[in-house]
Amino acid sequence: MTVLIMPLRRQEGPRIDNELVPKYGYGQDIFRRDAEEKIMNNNTLSIRSIAVFFLLFVFFSGVARAVTPNPGWWWNPAEGGRGYVIEAQDNMIFMATYMYAPSGRATWYAAGPAAMTGSTFIAPLTTYVGGQTLTGAYRSSSGTVNNGNVNVTFTDANHGTLTWPSGLTTPIERYNIVAGGSGAPQSIGTPQAGWWWNAAEGGRGFSVEIQNSTMFMAGYMYDDAGNPIWYASGPAPMTDANTYIGNWQQYGNGQILAGAYKPAALVNADVGSLKLIFDSATSATLTLPDGRTIALTRFAYGPATSNPNATAPTKSLLNYFATLSKQSSNKIVSGQHVGMATVNIADWSSTQSGYDNLIVKLQSQTGKTVGLAGADYGSNDPNYVISGSMLTSTNAALIRHWGSGGLVTVMFSARNPWSKGVMSDRTGNSQLADILKVGTAANASWMAQLDGVAAGLKELRDAGVVVLFRPLHEVNGAWFWWGSNPSNPTVQQDVTNVWRHMHDYFTNKHGLDNLLWVYSVSANTGGAMVAEDYFYPGSQYVDIVGIDIYATSFDSAALNGYQVLKNLKKPVALTEFGLTKIWPGNYDYATLVSEIKKGMPDIVYFMAWNDFFTNRGSTYFSLVSNRNAIGLLNDPWVVTADEIPASARATSGIATSVAKTISAVAAVTTASSMTQCYTSSNVAHVLAGRAYDKMGYALASGSNQNMGMDNTFFVTTLKKVVANYFVLGSCP
């Protein structure tokens, strides 16, 4: 029977209890409702006619069912020596191809990850260069080339047609390592087929598949010259249910990307030994030829960002945070808040001086730079009017930190929209809904603030910075104008509406696709406070959740709050940490990581608060002003800026770790033929076009890496990777 396909789209109704309520169902539900209405309005309509109508409806408007391919090895049986690894999770596909360069060297290309459209996967087929070798130290890839789109349409879970950028097509199917192996049921606990990696070494990956206790494995990496290369092992029987022992082999002189079929030849039968011991279906330990061991895990696509249009680096950063709690080390990013945009007292709370006094000074004392720098777009100055120009100096410090390899978070201590007072002015809290009513003074004031914040965030976006954006902090408390108010019966809905509106306004109106949205609370200690998840606006509006704690140890309220946040199934952060209101500066910061390990082991970052001075006394919360910051920063759990993998800030954790994709490159020659180095003052680099000036700092052209102040005293070496793309480095 021929079925005409008519896909039907679900319509969305109102949001209730933070979730979407379907307004209508799919085709059959629509028909049922239509039929019920006709029965009510036309008593002559018979059950038989309804049944006939239903059959006609199914006949003419069946719903399309997309095909999801089985993950693992694929090939064309007529083209042995060339093949494909397809990673399929839900609707996302990643594909790597193994074939040969015109020189005969084994090479590989990658496509995705990208969402399927129906049963079709389309993504650029990309070449990566300059990454990690089989036994070498970690290094990120240094360039990419887009070879055009590759298209795979799957006819069923084990068959498809691959269309190359040239337009040529190749039928492909699942590869049987042993006869009938791809269709054989796997026993519980068998290591999963697909892509495996070490999350701390993005850019190098391994494809693994086991069929009937026989394993085939390939490693995708780079040779000493930076060229992409692959090695294979097997197929061979496993030593036991959890162990595979073999050796890497290298093939060459086979079929090239757009060439006719050519059989490959074995060019090195023993590149080196390997041993792979599986701890579970998704984790293993790989022993490399030099005896070094690395942990491998089954690659999992990161959680969806709240903004579906988020940039690739933004998605990569969320994925990084989502994987940290699963690691045994390097799992908590260190952070230091540096202050507000402007202040009305001469202290360290302004970002201009705070960055130097709290982060740079700490680095000079310990040799370590914190992973995360935080700033507040708000101010305690009653005359402050937020605008993009007012935030330029604040952004300069944040861009500087991003350029050093660190991460950035911005909070927004909003002014009171009714009184124009500071955030602790509770005027208008009973009329929160007014700030979203067009035509009210509160709305005009609020929208002006949002536009000013958006202008500042756009400046960071345009500099390539991903921002952990944290508005309406400590929302469950009763001390800010946006917080809890038992006398306002609609306060829960009012606050969540404010958050949702801000999220959609920044996303849709201002195109701020560089934001990860951080929902943060204070530990619920009772009184006028409410539960930590009371104002949670819904998973589709939040990327990370966090708790603010000011105490020398974590009490039961803090631990309970942490557990409430964990139940929201988002990465959890310690978004603010300080001591009591007046603190002299003798806290042992090694205690903090001990408290985290003991009571909050899944925390993904912490933010030490800044020092400040008031008429009540001096308060020293910062890392640099207290004891044993070096003990904290050297702890195996703690991540500093130099330990954040480039893949966390770049386009894909699977295959690339450059901060910005090098585009418009028609071809890339070997790295040695392209490499040129230039050592001069930053002023000379700018004049020569190798760098440009951004708010008094020199940034390398192409990579946007921060080189320091744009003056004649700063001398740096820039390495040319490809035309108009320079990175900080040196040449042999």
Side-chain angles (χ1 to χ4, degrees), residues 62-321:
V63 178
R65 296 186 120 183
V67 172
T68 300
N70 285 322
W73 287 97
W74 290 62
W75 74 327
N76 182 319
E79 297 179 347
R82 179 172 80 167
Y84 320 92
V85 177
I86 292 178
E87 177 61 79
Q89 296 178 27
D90 297 323
N91 194 43
M92 296 291 289
I93 299 291
F94 170 72
M95 184 177 77
T97 72
Y98 59 100
M99 52 189 67
Y100 306 88
S103 65
R105 171 182 51 81
T107 192
W108 57 271
Y109 308 89
M116 293 182 65
T117 302
S119 300
T120 299
F121 163 72
I122 302 175
L125 190 65
T126 306
T127 304
Y128 300 93
V129 298
Q132 190 174 7
T133 63
L134 177 60
T135 58
Y138 174 72
R139 65 182 184 189
S140 61
S141 54
S142 59
T144 64
V145 174
N146 181 348
N147 300 286
N149 283 345
V150 66
N151 177 319
V152 185
T153 298
F154 298 96
T155 52
D156 60 41
N158 297 310
H159 297 84
T161 299
L162 188 157
T163 302
W164 297 99
S166 64
L168 296 175
T169 61
T170 301
I172 60 174
E173 62 185 57
R174 282 282 278 121
Y175 175 63
N176 286 316
I177 297 174
V178 296
S182 65
Q186 299 296 320
S187 60
I188 297 174
T190 299
Q192 295 178 3
W195 197 260
W196 291 61
W197 74 328
N198 181 299
E201 297 179 345
R204 179 174 71 172
F206 304 87
S207 56
V208 174
E209 183 165 2
I210 298 171
Q211 297 176 8
N212 292 343
S213 300
T214 298
M215 194 176 98
F216 184 37
M217 180 178 184
Y220 293 77
M221 54 199 74
Y222 307 85
D223 63 18
D224 291 336
N227 300 307
I229 194 168
W230 58 269
Y231 307 104
S233 183
M238 297 184 66
T239 303
D240 57 44
N242 301 316
T243 306
Y244 174 82
I245 298 175
N247 63 294
W248 293 110
Q249 297 179 329
Q250 182 179 349
Y251 292 81
N253 304 311
Q255 189 172 5
I256 66 174
L257 177 61
Y261 174 66
K262 178 183 178 183
L266 181 65
V267 298
N268 188 343
D270 190 9
V271 175
S273 63
L274 76 88
K275 183 177 183 180
L276 189 62
I277 300 177
F278 294 97
D279 308 310
S280 70
T282 58
S283 61
T285 299
L286 173 66
T287 302
L288 297 170
D290 61 358
R292 185 168 64 94
T293 61
I294 59 172
L296 296 184
T297 56
R298 177 81 159 82
F299 183 85
Y301 296 131
T305 50
S306 62
N307 173 6
N309 299 317
T311 64
T314 306
K315 294 178 179 179
S316 293
L317 184 55
L318 181 59
N319 184 57
Y320 171 66
F321 280 120

Side-chain angles (χ1 to χ4, degrees), residues 394-408:
T394 293
N395 285 343
L398 300 176
I399 293 170
R400 178 182 175 187
H401 192 73
W402 180 267
S404 72
L407 306 176
V408 165

Side-chain angles (χ1 to χ4, degrees), residues 304 536 538-540 542-545 565-566 568-572:
Y536 187 63
S539 60
Q540 63 270 45
V542 175
D543 299 298
I544 295 172
V545 295
L565 294 179
K566 272 197 67 177
L568 296 175
K569 307 300 183 184
K570 301 283 185 179
V572 185

Side-chain angles (χ1 to χ4, degrees), residues 11-24 493 500 540-541:
Q11 300 183 43
E12 295 180 355
R15 299 177 186 268
I16 298 177
D17 294 331
N18 304 330
E19 300 298 334
L20 287 176
V21 177
K23 188 175 181 181
Y24 301 109
Q493 192 63 54
R500 293 169 181 173
Q540 63 270 45
Y541 293 99

